[in-house]
Amino acid sequence: MKHVVSISMLFLVGLFLAGCAGQSPTFLQPYSLIAADESNLYTIILVMAAVVFLLVESLLVYNIVRFRRRSDSKGEPRQIYGNWRLEFVWSAGPVLLVLILFVFTVTTMNAIAAPEQTAKSDVNVHIIGHQWWWEFDYPDLNIKTANELHVPVGAAIRLNLNSADVIHSFWVPQLSHKIDVIPGQTNTLWFRADQVGVYDGHCAEFCGANHANMRIRVVVETADQFAAWVKNQQEPPVQPVTDQEKEGQLIITQGACNSCHTLGDAEAVSPIAPDLTHLMSRAVFGGASFDLNEANLRRWLEDRQDMKPGNDMIVALTKDQIDALMAYLMKLK
Ligand SMILES: [Cu+2]
């Protein structure tokens, strides 16, 4: 019995640790300076709390055992009042701990605020939170995209964030802290990613029915990869070839879609829906919550309210229209 218990405990701990290893998002594996500072602060607080916990609990257990009521104890034990030494220790101790935490916290806050030398950014991104997807505009590069943010490794990235509707919160734990995304106010966040990779994040402020499907994907790539990505994003949309593709394009530009979506118009002011120009260059869609492939895209056109209940894409499509749209959308690399 004893073995069964310990083996299952080990198994559970193993499962738990396996969950931590290498999974994105986790703030325990930071890949930027500011995320590392925050992760360090977390470790310091965790260690301090663990020491206090162990100290208090062991004193408690010791006293419970040592001074328990025995069969021969009579009446109340000796009562102690007003021991100034004890009172001093348990008042000054916590004050000191809180002071230490305060100093570490302020140091970290200063370290992660926009550093002086990056007053000039390498890449500016204007991020707009929508219910329930992210718009990423690169004002200097004339690029508009959604849900998947591309940045070069080692560069100073400045994000200016605001919201088109309610309060959201941008959080990619391995790269940055949380920052509120508020309508009518622009907040700024700086980061510099240390390592090429794909990092996932999440809207961290409850923002309505589909908050859970408002995720973020950040692709950190080499300078060359980023330049190639930029070049591709700046291209106009692919021209349709077959009749079916042409019909698909017409539905998008003159039919059921252009009241919300843009195609090949990076200048468009605050569209209500993700730009479709290079849709298929992205790996995820629908608030970075679904893999972008043919099957999922078709499902989106057929039955998106089932996929992402409550989303704001309201449009009725026939089977033929969906076929035509699929033919063209799949080409928008
Ligand atoms: Cu949100």
Side-chain angles (χ1 to χ4, degrees):
M1 187 58 201
K2 223 172 157 188
H3 286 301
V4 176
V5 172
S6 25
I7 288 171
S8 27
M9 286 304 281
L10 266 181
F11 181 71
L12 280 178
V13 170
L15 261 189
F16 177 72
L17 290 178
C20 301
Q23 283 280 348
S24 184
T26 163
F27 68 97
L28 296 174
Q29 257 174 15
Y31 286 114
S32 84
L33 208 57
I34 64 173
D37 280 339
E38 285 151 15
S39 187
N40 284 343
L41 179 63
Y42 170 81
T43 312
I44 292 169
I45 295 176
L46 185 72
V47 169
M48 280 172 65
V51 170
V52 171
F53 177 80
L54 284 179
L55 192 74
V56 171
E57 290 305 305
S58 36
L59 281 175
L60 189 68
V61 170
Y62 171 78
N63 282 298
I64 289 172
V65 175
R66 173 81 174 73
F67 299 109
R68 70 186 182 278
R69 188 188 176 100
R70 290 162 211 271
S71 48
D72 58 348
S73 4
K74 283 187 239 36
E76 289 223 328
R78 190 164 68 86
Q79 302 294 304
I80 301 171
Y81 296 101
N83 184 320
W84 73 267
R85 278 199 190 84
L86 276 179
E87 299 212 359
F88 179 78
V89 169
W90 70 53
S91 308
V95 169
L96 191 70
L97 287 184
V98 171
L99 274 180
I100 295 175
L101 284 183
F102 178 74
V103 170
F104 276 123
T105 306
V106 171
T107 318
T108 308
M109 284 170 72
N110 283 336
I112 66 178
E116 220 42 58
Q117 68 272 26
T118 54
K120 204 188 138 304
S121 55
D122 299 326
V123 179
N124 287 307
V125 190
H126 184 193
I127 299 189
I128 302 157
H130 294 259
Q131 277 174 320
W132 292 277
W133 60 281
W134 297 95
E135 178 182 341
F136 300 132
D137 299 347
Y138 295 66
D140 314 325
L141 301 170
N142 215 15
I143 292 174
K144 237 185 188 44
T145 184
N147 298 317
E148 200 180 281
L149 177 69
H150 284 243
V151 296
V153 68
I157 316 292
R158 177 169 59 191
L159 310 179
N160 283 330
L161 307 101
N162 47 42
S163 164
D165 35 53
V166 299
I167 301 179
H168 303 276
S169 175
F170 184 86
W171 191 34
V172 183
Q174 283 160 297
L175 301 177
S176 79
H177 50 89
K178 291 177 191 167
I179 184 147
D180 277 349
V181 180
I182 301 171
Q185 181 187 320
T186 302
N187 283 344
T188 302
L189 175 76
W190 290 82
F191 75 88
R192 191 190 288 273
D194 297 338
Q195 193 172 311
V196 168
V198 174
Y199 306 106
D200 288 329
H202 212 293
C203 173
E205 180 81 43
F206 179 67
C207 58
N210 231 291
H211 164 68
N213 280 326
M214 185 165 170
R215 302 183 200 172
I216 306 153
R217 163 85 42 111
V218 181
V219 179
V220 176
E221 45 202 3
T222 63
D224 288 350
Q225 286 168 330
F226 181 71
W229 178 82
V230 167
K231 192 160 173 293
N232 182 55
Q233 297 293 312
Q234 289 172 335
E235 295 286 327
V238 167
Q239 283 310 306
V241 182
T242 66
D243 284 349
Q244 201 183 32
E245 291 165 13
K246 285 182 186 144
E247 197 202 324
Q249 190 202 36
L250 271 183
I251 301 175
I252 296 175
T253 55
Q254 297 175 27
C257 321
N258 67 344
S259 51
C260 301
H261 290 278
T262 45
L263 184 75
D265 183 9
E267 309 271 298
V269 218
S270 50
I272 341 183
D275 184 89
L276 297 177
T277 315
H278 297 284
L279 176 71
M280 295 311 290
S281 72
R282 316 199 269 264
V284 284
F285 77 113
S289 299
F290 311 99
D291 288 337
L292 186 43
N293 53 39
E294 190 168 357
N296 279 344
L297 186 58
R298 182 173 281 279
R299 201 176 146 217
W300 181 263
L301 295 181
E302 283 169 354
D303 205 3
R304 71 208 141 264
Q305 292 301 335
D306 177 55
M307 251 172 130
K308 191 169 176 177
N311 81 75
D312 286 336
M313 175 162 157
I314 316 285
V315 63
L317 297 167
T318 64
K319 165 104 181 31
D320 285 349
Q321 284 175 319
I322 291 179
D323 288 342
L325 283 167
M326 283 301 296
Y328 184 56
L329 286 174
M330 286 302 293
K331 293 189 72 172
L332 294 173
K333 294 276 159 56

